[in-house]
């Protein structure tokens, strides 16, 4: 026993000696690379020797010197390659970042400098361009000098007012530029130095979240799919549950592409990336009401949706376990069966009042109601489920008969079937029509439009109209059925539900919305050798002037996503040229040549302004930033921002967006998006959304308020179509 123990101790001692020698040899090997590189061999000899265990040879046993040298050189060579790769990669990204600061490609696409720029980018761009892979090379959003902002703003205001009034505004602008402006500009300049985008978060806060008005006035709606051939609804007559299942499945697949960052980044001309940061807020995001300012919350691990039916809310899990595998998305057939369970459960029931109507209130009022809800455990749990959902789905018990009715229902609902705070709500009607409601703080229209494009392209139905799964999809053994969300309201809240619904329905009824399907598109306009967008903007100006004999303050959306965290800027369509054009068109003495001259100048001004806005060379966002800077710093708001010409909303609020995003997906599509709409900014104003659908089709959506005696969507639509015909005739050579 003793020998054995002694023997074991001896073996352990020998092993420890071997380990210490091996550790020493490795230590020396690493140091040798440094010694060889630095040339300090003699000086370090004594130091290394002093650390050697007793009985070890220095620096290596003879039999291990060559292998250790090879290993050291290999490691050194590998490290050198890593360093070189990192340096080249960093240099490549830095070159791309510098190249993307070049904005003249928008203005001079055929210039030699632009062509060389394009060749350089082609050589530098990676083959795979995933969703966020080019975010770090996007340039900063420019901050224009104070003088530029003031002068540009004055030029925008000049055509809207009399000569006398313009002089008054100019005097106030000069006072601002001399006194308050420089201090506020310095605040923005500090933000420009410290932030990736100096305006992005203050735009979210002060353009949206600080607003105390009901969200029906800032949310926007999107229509369902229409057939490419005849513009009729693509899903009308199909079973409601199968349409819902198809849309939920493919929209969730789109979400999974975003989350995994496998969604391909879109590049202008296949060279210039656009910012994709807002995709993070398209799903699982909810606007939370506050007393003075709202906030946004995004729940990245959302795995369920909320389904509304006749005022009842259901939690529908989207994922289930596969046989011997991980959780995966329910198939379209499985989702259809879940939707049918909800339809069956609510069959024969009347509509049930619920807290969704609180989201139709002014934001501070909704905040107070939400605080009351949070005081009870059941309501707190129900709120969490509603707010954490990936998105909401409405199984309507109504059937719109045309695109106009569908548009109005998509935006407004009935008070109990829209949670207006949710980033995305998809609506499916009993007759198979569909649409969506989008909370505007989260995203702008182009992002959900791309999701709809993906969804429309992927939807499949069998010969019986049922949802059809992609090939090789795995079914699930056990599905968790949807369960109803319950509320425990206090007496005052229960009594207020119908009252709030009545107020919401009054607001909704006041909104007049009209949708046009036109069998003409960009093709006919391009034959006139003008920009289709400028053509539409001048048509809208002419229609307004013919109806009202006045010049409207006009907004058109421009995309600024060429910059990091960029969203939008304002195109100011109205110019001295556009005013001269509209006046000439109703002047019987004006010749065709005079009208045409004014039209071409107005279109050129609009096209130039659009490019400037996309390049960060407009003035609305910087003027807004100066106003926000005063608010953030606690300074008294300068008198300039109280001028009605600056403070008031836009009488004409217009927008458009592309109808195709991913060419690989859209090339074979048989379904077009139908367009959408938003509420007018002023009671005496109009909202206009137009969408070119290829060369030969387009839709136009027009909104007004019924309470105003001078505006009417139908009259404006007739005036707009007449204006389009007049301008086409004017541009046509005899």
């Amino acid at each position: 026993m003793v020998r054995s123990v002694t023997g074991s101790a001896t073996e352990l001692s020998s092993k420890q000696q071997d380990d210490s020698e091996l550790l020493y040899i490795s230590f020396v090997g690493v140091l040798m690379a440094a010694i060889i590189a630095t040339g300090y061999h003699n000086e370090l000899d004594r130091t290394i020797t002093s650390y050697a265990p007793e009985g070890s040879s220095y620096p290596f046993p003879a039999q291990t010197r060559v292998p250790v040298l090879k290993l050291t050189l290999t490691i050194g060579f590998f490290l050198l390659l890593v360093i070189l790769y990192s340096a080249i990669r960093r240099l490549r990204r830095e070159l791309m970042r510098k190249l993307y600061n070049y904005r003249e490609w928008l203005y001079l696409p055929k210039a030699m400098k632009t062509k060389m720029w394009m060749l350089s980018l082609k050589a530098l761009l990676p083959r795979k361009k995933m969703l966020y892979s080019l975010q770090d090379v996007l340039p900063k959003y420019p901050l224009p000098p104070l003088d530029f902002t003031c002068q540009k703003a004055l030029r925008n205001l000049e055509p809207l007012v009399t000569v006398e009034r313009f002089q008054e505004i100019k005097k106030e602008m000069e006072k601002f530029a001399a006194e308050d402006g420089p201090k506020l500009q310095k605040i923005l300049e500090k933000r420009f130095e410290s932030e990736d985008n100096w305006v992005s978060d203050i735009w979210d806060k002060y353009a949206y979240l600080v607003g105390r008005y009901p969200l029906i006035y800032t949310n926007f709606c999107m229509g369902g799919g229409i057939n490419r051939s005849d513009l009729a609804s693509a899903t009308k007559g199909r079973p409601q549950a199968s349409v819902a299942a198809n849309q939920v499945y493919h929209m969730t697949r789109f979400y999974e592409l975003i989350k995994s960052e496998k969604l391909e980044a879109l590049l202008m001309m296949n060279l210039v990336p656009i910012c994709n940061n807002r995709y993070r807020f398209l799903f699982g995001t909810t606007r939370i009401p506050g007393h003075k300012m709202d906030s946004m919350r995004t729940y990245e691990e959302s795995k369920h949706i909320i389904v509304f039916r006749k005022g009842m809310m259901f939690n529908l899990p989207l994922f289930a376990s596969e046989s011997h595998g991980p959780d995966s998305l329910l198939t379209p057939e499985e989702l259809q069966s879940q939707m049918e369970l909800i339809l069956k459960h609510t069959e024969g029931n009347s509509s049930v009042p619920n807290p969704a109507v609180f989201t139709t209130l002014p934001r501070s009022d909704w905040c107070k109601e939400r605080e009351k809800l949070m005081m009870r455990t059941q309501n707190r749990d129900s709120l969490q489920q509603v707010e954490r959902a990936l998105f909401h789905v409405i199984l309507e018990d109504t059937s719109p008969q045309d695109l106009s009715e569908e548009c109005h229902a998509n935006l407004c609902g009935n008070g109990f079937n829209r949670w207006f705070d949710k980033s995305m709500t998809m609506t499916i009607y009993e007759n198979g029509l569909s649409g969506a409601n989008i909370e505007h703080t989260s995203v702008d229209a182009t992002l959900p439009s791309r999701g709809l494009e993906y969804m429309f392209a992927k939807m499949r139905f069998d010969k019986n109209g049922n949802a059809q799964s992609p090939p090789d999809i795995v079914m699930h053994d056990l599905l968790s059925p949807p369960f109803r969300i319950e509320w425990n309201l206090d007496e005052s809240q229960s009594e207020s539900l119908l009252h709030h619904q009545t107020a919401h329905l009054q607001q909704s009824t006041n909104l007049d919305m009209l949708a046009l399907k036109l069998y003409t598109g960009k093709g006919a306009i391009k034959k006139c050798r003008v920009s289709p967008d400028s053509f539409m903007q001048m048509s809208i100006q002419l229609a307004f002037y013919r109806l009202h004999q006045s010049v409207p303050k006009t907004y058109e959306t421009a995309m600024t996503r060429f910059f990091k965290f960029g969203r939008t800027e304002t195109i100011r369509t109205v110019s001295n040229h556009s005013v001269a054009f509209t006046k000439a068109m109703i002047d019987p003495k004006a010749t065709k040549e005079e009208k045409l001259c004014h039209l071409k100048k107005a279109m050129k001004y609009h096209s130039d302004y659009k490019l400037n806005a996309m390049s960060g060379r407009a003035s609305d966002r910087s003027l807004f930033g100066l106003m926000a800077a005063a608010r953030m710093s606690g300074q008294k708001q300068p008198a300039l921002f109280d001028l009605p010409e600056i403070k008031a909303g836009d009488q004409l609020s217009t927008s458009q967006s592309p109808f195709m995003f991913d060419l690989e997906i859209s090339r074979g599509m048989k379904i077009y998006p139908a367009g959408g709409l938003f509420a007018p900014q002023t009671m005496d104003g109009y909202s206009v959304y137009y969408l070119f659908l290829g060369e030969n089709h387009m839709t136009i959506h027009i909104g007004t308020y019924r309470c105003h005696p001078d505006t009417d969507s139908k009259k404006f639509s007739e005036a707009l179509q007449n204006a389009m015909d007049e301008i086409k005739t004017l541009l046509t050579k005899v």
Side-chain angles (χ1 to χ4, degrees):
M1 288 286 296
V2 173
R3 195 184 66 85
S4 287
V5 171
T6 305
S8 297
T10 304
E11 290 172 5
L12 181 59
S13 175
S14 175
K15 185 177 185 303
Q16 288 175 337
Q17 184 176 351
D18 291 343
D19 287 346
S20 63
E21 185 173 355
L22 180 61
L23 179 63
Y24 166 71
I25 291 169
S26 301
F27 169 68
V28 171
V30 173
L31 286 181
M32 275 190 67
I35 294 166
I36 293 168
T38 58
Y40 293 123
H41 181 274
N42 293 332
E43 191 174 328
L44 293 176
D45 264 355
R46 289 184 297 275
T47 304
I48 295 174
T49 306
S50 66
Y51 287 109
E54 186 177 350
S56 296
S57 59
Y58 168 76
F60 293 110
Q63 68 272 22
T64 61
R65 291 176 186 172
V66 173
V68 169
L69 179 62
K70 287 182 178 179
L71 177 62
T72 304
L73 290 174
T74 301
I75 293 172
F77 183 69
F78 174 75
L79 291 174
L80 181 62
L81 286 179
V82 170
I83 292 168
L84 284 174
Y85 174 79
S86 299
I88 292 170
R89 190 175 184 275
R90 177 177 289 186
L91 177 63
R92 181 187 191 184
R93 306 296 281 194
E94 191 60 36
L95 286 172
M96 290 169 63
R97 192 177 293 111
K98 295 289 185 186
L99 286 170
Y100 282 130
N101 279 309
Y102 176 71
R103 305 248 59 82
E104 301 309 308
W105 65 272
L106 279 167
Y107 304 88
L108 303 168
K110 295 182 180 180
M112 180 56 68
K113 187 177 180 181
T114 301
K115 290 179 180 177
M116 296 301 294
W117 171 81
M118 293 171 69
L119 286 172
S120 301
L121 279 176
K122 284 180 180 178
L124 292 169
L125 275 171
R127 288 185 181 179
K128 289 188 176 181
K129 308 168 190 71
M130 295 297 100
L131 191 60
Y132 303 123
S133 62
L134 297 173
Q135 284 289 111
D136 64 321
V137 300
L138 292 172
K140 275 191 169 188
Y141 186 62
L143 173 65
L146 177 62
D147 182 63
F148 176 93
T149 299
C150 294
Q151 293 303 316
K152 191 92 170 177
L154 281 174
R155 189 182 302 174
N156 293 338
L157 292 168
E158 185 179 10
L160 304 175
V161 297
T162 64
V163 175
E164 294 77 17
R165 179 57 179 161
F166 179 70
Q167 291 304 317
E168 294 172 0
I169 295 172
K170 185 178 180 182
K171 185 178 179 180
E172 193 62 53
M173 187 72 78
E174 289 170 347
K175 180 184 176 184
F176 172 77
E179 297 177 6
D180 296 312
K183 292 180 289 185
L184 300 177
Q185 181 75 9
K186 283 185 178 179
I187 294 174
L188 298 185
E189 287 171 355
K190 287 181 180 178
R191 288 185 59 83
F192 179 79
E193 294 299 325
S194 62
E195 305 291 333
D196 286 321
N197 187 311
W198 65 267
V199 75
S200 60
D201 63 329
I202 61 177
W203 179 251
D204 287 352
K205 289 177 182 177
Y206 296 108
Y208 294 111
L209 296 175
V210 79
R212 300 294 84 195
Y213 34 74
L215 293 189
I216 190 175
Y217 298 116
T218 55
N219 282 21
F220 61 91
C221 69
M222 312 188 79
I226 52 179
N227 290 325
R228 189 169 184 168
S229 55
D230 59 2
L231 302 188
S233 170
T235 55
K236 189 173 183 179
R238 293 193 181 279
Q240 185 179 21
S242 69
V243 175
N246 251 311
Q247 295 197 357
V248 168
Y249 177 82
H250 293 294
M251 193 58 80
T252 308
R253 289 287 298 123
F254 186 72
Y255 158 74
E256 290 183 321
L257 290 174
I258 293 172
K259 188 175 181 182
S260 64
E261 301 184 16
K262 293 180 180 178
L263 185 67
E264 193 166 346
L266 299 179
L267 281 72
M268 292 286 288
M269 305 187 304
N270 219 22
L271 286 175
V272 185
I274 58 178
C275 182
N276 292 317
N277 182 61
R278 299 307 290 199
Y279 278 107
R280 304 178 195 275
F281 311 112
L282 180 57
F283 295 96
T285 298
T286 302
R287 178 168 167 170
I288 306 298
H291 287 290
K292 294 183 179 180
M293 182 183 287
D294 294 355
S295 60
M296 301 294 294
R297 293 182 190 169
T298 299
Y299 304 95
E300 296 181 353
E301 299 305 319
S302 297
K303 291 190 175 182
H304 72 277
I305 59 173
I306 298 297
V307 180
F308 287 70
R309 172 69 173 175
K310 294 184 177 181
M312 288 171 265
M313 304 181 199
F314 297 86
N315 182 317
L316 195 163
L318 288 171
F319 297 86
S321 298
E322 299 176 5
S323 300
H324 311 294
D327 285 1
S328 62
L329 178 62
L330 303 189
T331 68
E333 289 97 331
E334 291 167 343
L335 285 166
Q336 181 173 336
S337 69
Q338 300 286 65
M339 296 294 176
E340 287 169 348
L341 285 175
I342 293 173
L343 291 173
K344 185 176 181 181
H345 180 83
T346 57
E347 188 177 358
N349 292 5
S350 56
S351 184
V352 177
N354 65 62
V357 75
F358 294 141
T359 69
T360 69
L361 298 176
R363 302 305 291 172
S364 299
D365 295 342
W366 165 213
C367 179
K368 293 174 186 176
E369 297 293 349
R370 187 176 184 276
E371 287 176 344
K372 289 181 185 177
L373 290 174
M374 293 289 286
M375 292 172 67
R376 299 191 175 188
T377 304
Q378 186 174 46
N379 295 336
R380 200 159 52 242
D381 179 64
S382 296
L383 268 175
Q384 279 195 346
Q385 294 179 62
V386 170
E387 292 174 353
R388 290 172 180 266
L390 194 62
F391 53 89
H392 290 180
V393 173
I394 318 297
L395 295 177
E396 287 279 15
D397 57 351
T398 59
S399 296
Q401 294 306 302
D402 55 36
L403 198 55
S404 299
E405 288 185 15
E406 178 195 303
C407 174
H408 189 276
N410 287 336
L411 182 63
C412 301
N414 66 14
F416 297 136
N417 59 2
R418 300 286 185 279
W419 197 275
F420 280 93
D421 297 358
K422 199 63 195 167
S423 55
M424 178 186 287
T425 299
M426 298 168 62
T427 306
I428 298 90
Y429 298 92
E430 280 198 337
N431 60 354
L433 296 182
S434 65
N437 186 296
I438 309 295
E439 200 284 309
H440 208 339
T441 318
S442 311
V443 292
D444 300 304
T446 50
L447 277 68
S449 294
R450 188 179 179 189
L452 291 175
E453 174 190 69
Y454 179 90
M455 183 186 79
F456 290 144
K458 301 289 185 179
M459 289 194 308
R460 296 290 183 271
F461 299 90
D462 65 20
K463 62 182 179 180
N464 297 317
N466 294 311
Q468 193 171 33
S469 293
D472 304 323
I473 199 166
V474 178
M475 304 294 284
H476 300 87
D477 295 330
L478 183 64
L479 303 182
S480 300
F483 58 91
R484 185 173 171 181
I485 293 174
E486 302 290 348
W487 302 94
N488 181 15
L489 306 185
D490 64 31
E491 187 176 348
S492 65
Q493 285 187 314
S494 297
E495 291 175 354
S496 70
L497 295 179
L498 293 177
H499 168 74
H500 292 321
Q501 186 196 34
T502 300
H504 172 71
L505 292 177
Q506 288 174 347
Q507 291 177 330
S508 302
T509 304
N510 190 31
L511 276 170
D512 181 29
M513 296 183 169
L514 179 69
L516 301 174
K517 297 176 181 178
L518 302 183
Y519 297 89
T520 183
K522 287 192 293 186
I525 299 171
K526 287 192 290 188
K527 287 178 182 177
C528 299
R529 296 182 176 275
V530 295
S531 156
D533 187 39
S534 294
F535 175 92
M536 285 303 302
Q537 286 295 318
M538 291 307 116
S539 298
I540 292 169
Q541 290 295 313
L542 179 56
F544 187 98
Y545 197 82
R546 282 199 180 280
L547 289 173
H548 303 288
Q549 285 75 55
S550 63
V551 180
K553 185 181 179 184
T554 305
Y555 168 99
E556 183 190 1
T557 307
M559 180 193 76
T560 58
R561 288 172 62 197
F562 295 131
F563 303 98
K564 193 170 187 179
F565 302 153
R567 291 190 68 174
T568 61
E569 172 59 289
T570 302
I571 303 168
R572 291 299 176 189
T573 302
V574 176
S575 64
N576 290 328
H577 303 302
S578 70
V579 173
F581 163 67
T582 54
K583 288 182 176 179
M585 290 298 287
I586 64 170
D587 182 359
K589 296 180 182 179
T591 65
K592 180 178 180 180
E593 289 73 22
E594 289 173 331
K595 295 175 183 177
L596 190 58
C597 179
H598 291 311
L599 173 63
K600 288 186 175 180
K601 287 181 179 178
M603 285 185 166
K604 185 178 187 310
Y605 181 92
H606 171 263
S607 293
D608 290 345
Y609 201 109
K610 182 176 184 177
L611 296 178
N612 287 334
M614 294 169 67
S615 299
R617 296 169 181 169
S619 63
D620 269 64
R621 292 300 174 268
S622 51
L623 194 65
F624 172 86
L626 292 165
M627 182 176 65
R631 196 164 184 172
M632 290 186 297
S633 62
Q635 297 182 34
K636 182 181 178 182
Q637 181 163 285
L640 176 72
F641 299 118
D642 290 325
L643 296 178
E645 292 83 0
I646 292 177
K647 189 176 182 179
D650 299 294
Q651 205 172 1
L652 262 177
S653 184
T654 70
S655 188
Q656 68 153 332
S657 69
F659 84 102
M660 288 195 305
F661 296 88
D662 190 322
L663 294 180
E664 290 297 319
I665 288 176
S666 60
R667 189 172 288 125
M669 281 180 64
K670 297 179 180 178
I671 302 175
Y672 280 144
L677 197 57
F678 41 88
Q681 289 186 24
T682 63
M683 284 296 167
D684 63 345
Y686 298 86
S687 54
V688 183
Y689 183 94
Y690 51 96
L691 183 64
F692 291 109
L693 301 171
E695 299 296 302
N696 303 311
H697 301 91
M698 70 180 299
T699 61
I700 304 174
H701 289 69
I702 300 165
T704 56
Y705 292 107
R706 298 181 192 273
C707 66
H708 200 279
D710 297 333
T711 59
D712 181 275
S713 299
K714 190 172 188 302
K715 287 182 179 178
F716 191 86
S717 73
E718 292 168 352
L720 178 56
Q721 291 178 82
N722 289 335
M724 292 169 67
D725 291 337
E726 283 185 85
I727 294 177
K728 280 181 187 175
T729 301
L730 188 62
L731 291 167
T732 303
K733 294 181 180 180
V734 179

